[in-house]
Amino acid sequence: MTPSDAVASRTSLRPVRAARPWSADSWKTHPAAQLPHYDDAGELQATLDKLDKLPPLVTSWEILALKQLLAEAQEGKRFLLQGGDCAETFADCNNEVIANRLKVLLQMSLVLVHGLRMPVLRVGRFAGQYAKPRSADTETIDGVTLPVYRGELVNGPEFNAAARRADPQRMLRGHARSAMTMNFVRALVDGGFADLHHPEYWNLAWVDRSPLAGEYHRMVDGISGAMHFMETLAGPITTFQRADFYTSHEALLLPYEQTLTRQVPRQWGWFNLSTHFPWIGMRTAALDGAHVEFCRGIRNPIGIKVGPSMHASQLQELIEILNPEDEPGRLTLIHRMGAGGIGQHLPRLIDAVKATGRRVLWVCDPMHGNTEKLGSGVKTRRFANIRSELEQAFDIHTAAGTRLGGVHLELTGEDVTECVGGASGLSEADLGRAYKSTVDPRLNYEQSLELAMLIVRKQGFGAG
Ligand code: PEP
Ligand code: CO
């Protein structure tokens, strides 16, 4: 066996333990939270039959490559930057929104690479983040009660009966838009958009008005100088010319996920080919629930959202169910406790995971524990709380002897006003100006960049 055979067999080894039987539809025998009711079973099946014949969105090679990179992040050799919309919309599947989101993620990763002195693994919450868990099944406005909006893959956000009907056809439209998004992202990246020699491609119109512009430009100049120096010595370095992006979304709408879960030639097992990196949301992490059952049998890396209500034993069992062989790169724990809750809940969960002796990647989502509703009914998040949760996360991991290996953020490249605070001091009064999210408030371009700079100040090279 050559060394490369050894690597190949390690990544393609079948599990040795006898696992409970699993099939792509075994989730159907488990209680399923957060799934919509489809009123026409025939229409649902006919639509899934069409979806079944369409090409997948990603490949098994990419999925296994990502798993390897996540394994390196678990070893402290990479930092994960996972970000994008709370809920993508079909209307936002357009040139500008996709390119702007990519620009922000590229700028943030540049800041992180430079400051952390470590490769950054970029994973978008895009090309399929179309299904949302909700806290109630219905919504009542002025005495009228309708099914709640569950994301564009299920129904529409408008408050009328036709829009709120769970429409199976939306799965075909969501698949097509995911493919268009992926196609454009891949073409941009392959075509030179991510080339480090041209960070000016990623500038957004309002960057120079930002109080952060000076710091960012100084850093870019420093990187350009270093690259020039290295290429003068070594000749052109091709790795500077591209930056890979992987996709992720919450694996929520199981009929859709199942239909895109397939076997591929020369690989054992099943891959969810709707995305590289599905995650299990906080509301669907029940041990005997359908979502955990579904994710158990696919070979993708899996994220689990971990909230303050998670019991130590539940987390330990989730790890056992989802990664019985302790496979490297398989599990990422995305904790989202809130600035006020992280100090209480994260240490006990770190201890619980330590007690299993299993490997995980720890990632902080400082967004979902910090959502609040203002008197006006508008949902927002305060930058100060997001920042505080993230800073505490670094400190708690350091104190515990574990390592925070990434961040999971809701952000956009648009100049929205959804979260308050940040360098430009957005106030509650500003929220009316450009609030576009259909579900949770996102960081805008400037707040996202500020957070990346903050991570570097907290944890970066020379930070003290
Ligand atoms: C989300 O990521 O948009 C989400 C709903 O998260 P959580 O499951 O952590 O609440
Ligand atoms: Co959200």
Side-chain angles (χ1 to χ4, degrees), residues 85 88-98 101 127 130 152 173-174 176-182 184:
D85 285 321
E88 284 180 278
T89 62
F90 290 171
D92 275 354
C93 179
N94 70 51
N95 177 358
E96 205 173 319
V97 170
I98 296 170
R101 191 171 45 211
Y130 286 121
E152 294 252 35
R173 294 169 64 197
R177 276 167 176 71
S178 300
M180 288 181 236
T181 305
M182 280 299 291
F184 188 43

Side-chain angles (χ1 to χ4, degrees), residues 86 125 132-133 250 279 281-283 305 336 368 410:
C86 178
R125 272 179 74 114
K132 297 306 299 173
E250 178 170 351
W279 77 81
M282 194 190 68
R283 294 177 183 81
K305 290 291 201 88
R336 29 87 79 229
H368 286 88
E410 287 188 343

Side-chain angles (χ1 to χ4, degrees), residues 298-460:
I298 57 177
R299 290 191 60 199
N300 305 57
I302 305 287
I304 310 174
K305 290 291 201 88
V306 178
S309 62
M310 179 78 77
H311 289 291
S313 60
Q314 181 189 356
L315 186 54
Q316 290 171 331
E317 282 185 61
L318 280 170
I319 292 171
E320 177 60 31
I321 294 169
L322 292 165
N323 194 18
E325 303 293 324
D326 199 23
E327 183 194 2
R330 164 75 167 170
L331 274 191
T332 296
L333 301 182
I334 308 164
H335 48 76
R336 29 87 79 229
M337 304 293 180
I342 187 168
Q344 181 189 349
H345 296 290
L346 185 56
R348 67 178 175 83
L349 293 169
I350 291 176
D351 286 346
V353 174
K354 273 189 186 167
T356 66
R358 300 296 181 79
R359 70 189 101 208
V360 299
L361 176 64
W362 290 103
V363 168
C364 177
D365 164 0
M367 313 297 295
H368 286 88
N370 292 310
T371 316
E372 53 186 278
K373 215 174 207 172
L374 299 174
S376 56
V378 173
K379 271 207 265 181
T380 193
R381 291 162 171 156
R382 293 176 199 281
F383 190 84
N385 290 338
I386 294 169
R387 169 185 186 148
S388 164
E389 177 162 358
L390 195 52
E391 289 182 337
Q392 291 181 66
F394 278 110
D395 290 340
I396 292 168
H397 280 290
T398 302
T402 45
R403 182 176 167 278
L404 187 66
V407 282
H408 179 116
L409 304 170
E410 287 188 343
L411 55 80
T412 168
E414 305 306 293
D415 193 8
V416 298
T417 55
E418 297 173 5
C419 294
V420 295
S424 291
L426 282 188
S427 69
E428 289 181 21
D430 291 315
L431 294 184
R433 187 150 49 81
Y435 196 107
K436 297 186 187 155
S437 176
T438 49
V439 186
D440 288 337
R442 301 160 295 177
L443 297 168
N444 63 22
Y445 162 83
E446 188 180 52
Q447 292 166 329
S448 302
L449 205 59
E450 185 171 358
L451 213 59
M453 290 177 173
L454 199 136
I455 292 170
V456 164
R457 267 182 236 129
K458 182 79 190 155
Q459 203 66 10

